[in-house]
């Protein structure tokens, strides 16, 4: 019964964990904007969320023998990281495009906050229901 | 909490950029120094950045791996009355290129600002996360 209350929070929780993961990735890109040879990284958020919530088969290793450890599932597992290609050629082979990274960072921050509000709304709804006035 | 790592990542970048700014400052300060008694004038320095993986996957900070000295020839000016002049009357100044250093300074300060802004955003988001469910 109680898990039915928290099931709806689970999806948003996974989304929140992935958002913070992506925030960290973009922060790494911005930090390495001047590092020679650094390749900017990013994730396909929609795909990662599908894998984290089990809507798509994850990339966890298949257990074919009894002794095999199960791969981590959910946002705790590692999402597939992609490499960004350079939008302008650079002599130092750095592929960080600051405009793109700043835009992604702002976009991700807003969406992180949106997810927080969804969770807050969900919690408020449940508390309202529990009060039962 | 992977967002806590943002402070490590951006902090390392900010300290690397401030080291770069430091080097620029010493280059600019020594732009007009002449060769000392050993005949060697100040050589312009430059930092070399390197990616530093921070534990978990994806978190990539920055570290200054090396400080190199420019091998360019120092500026030679004919000034026989100068106390630092050599036998031919030439004074060797440092090989600092002031324009290059100014550009370097602007780039370093912009990168520093970017990282500070990243940390500010991460802080705001974390504070809002702490208020979750209230």
């Amino acid at each position: 019964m109680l898990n039915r209350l928290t099931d709806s929070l689970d999806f948003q929780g996974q989304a929140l964990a992935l958002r913070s993961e992506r925030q960290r990735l973009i922060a790494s890109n911005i930090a390495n904007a001047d590092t020679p040879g650094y390749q900017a990284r990013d994730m396909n958020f929609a795909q990662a969320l599908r894998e984290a919530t089990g809507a798509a088969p994850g990339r966890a290793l298949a257990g074919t023998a009894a002794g095999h450890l199960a791969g981590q599932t959910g946002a705790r597992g590692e999402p597939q990281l992609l490499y960004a290609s350079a939008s302008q050629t650079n002599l130092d082979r750095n592929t960080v495009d600051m405009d793109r990274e700043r835009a992604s960072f702002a976009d991700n921050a807003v969406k992180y906050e949106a997810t927080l509000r969804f969770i807050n709304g969900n919690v408020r709804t449940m508390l309202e229901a529990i009060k039962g006035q | 909490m992977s967002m806590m790592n943002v402070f490590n990542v951006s902090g390392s970048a900010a300290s690397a950029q401030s080291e770069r700014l430091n080097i620029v400052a010493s280059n600019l300060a020594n732009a007009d120094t002449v060769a000392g008694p050993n005949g060697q004038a100040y050589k312009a320095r430059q930092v070399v950045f390197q990616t530093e993986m921070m534990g978990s996957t994806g978190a990539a900070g920055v570290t200054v791996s090396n400080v190199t000295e420019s091998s360019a020839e120092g500026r030679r000016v004919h000034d026989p009355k100068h106390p630092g002049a050599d036998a031919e009357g030439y004074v060797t100044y440092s090989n600092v290129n002031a324009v290059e250093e100014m550009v370097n300074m602007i780039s370093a300060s912009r990168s520093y600002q970017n990282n500070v802004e990243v940390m500010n955003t991460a802080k705001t988001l974390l504070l809002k996360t702490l208020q979750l469910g209230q």
Side-chain angles (χ1 to χ4, degrees), chain A residues 16-17 19-38 41 76 78-79 81 98 102 105-106 108-110 112-113 115-117 119-120 123-124 127, chain B residues 1-3 5-6 9-10 12-13 17 20 48-53 56-62 107-108 111 113-115 117-119 121-122 124-126 128-129 131-134:
Chain A
L16 197 68
R19 282 281 169 216
S20 75
E21 186 79 18
R22 181 156 186 247
Q23 196 79 350
R24 201 192 59 191
L25 270 182
I26 300 171
S28 299
N29 289 344
I30 293 178
N32 282 284
D34 295 323
T35 311
Y38 180 82
R41 315 205 67 181
R76 291 267 151 236
E78 287 173 25
L81 300 184
M98 195 47 94
R102 288 293 297 265
F105 190 79
N108 201 57
V110 169
Y112 183 92
E113 234 183 290
T115 310
L116 279 182
R117 286 196 193 182
I119 295 178
N120 268 331
V123 169
R124 211 160 295 139
L127 286 179
Chain B
M1 193 87 216
S2 58
M3 192 109 78
N5 254 324
V6 170
V9 168
S10 297
S12 75
Q17 295 292 350
R20 179 181 175 195
V48 180
F49 288 159
Q50 198 178 32
T51 305
E52 177 190 31
M53 287 326 238
S56 53
T57 52
V62 187
S107 170
S111 297
Q113 283 173 19
N114 269 331
N115 284 298
E117 210 162 303
V118 167
M119 282 192 273
T121 309
T124 316
L125 290 181
L126 279 173
K128 285 194 174 144
T129 313
Q131 293 170 356
L132 198 64
Q134 285 180 2

Side-chain angles (χ1 to χ4, degrees), chain A residues 71-91:
Chain A
Q72 281 185 317
T73 52
R76 291 267 151 236
E78 287 173 25
Q80 188 176 13
L81 300 184
L82 309 169
Y83 288 99
S85 55
S87 57
Q88 296 177 37
T89 48
N90 250 338
L91 273 182

Side-chain angles (χ1 to χ4, degrees), chain B residues 56-71:
Chain B
S56 53
T57 52
V62 187
T63 166
V64 175
S65 67
N66 196 4
V67 178
T68 59
E69 282 192 346
S70 160
S71 58

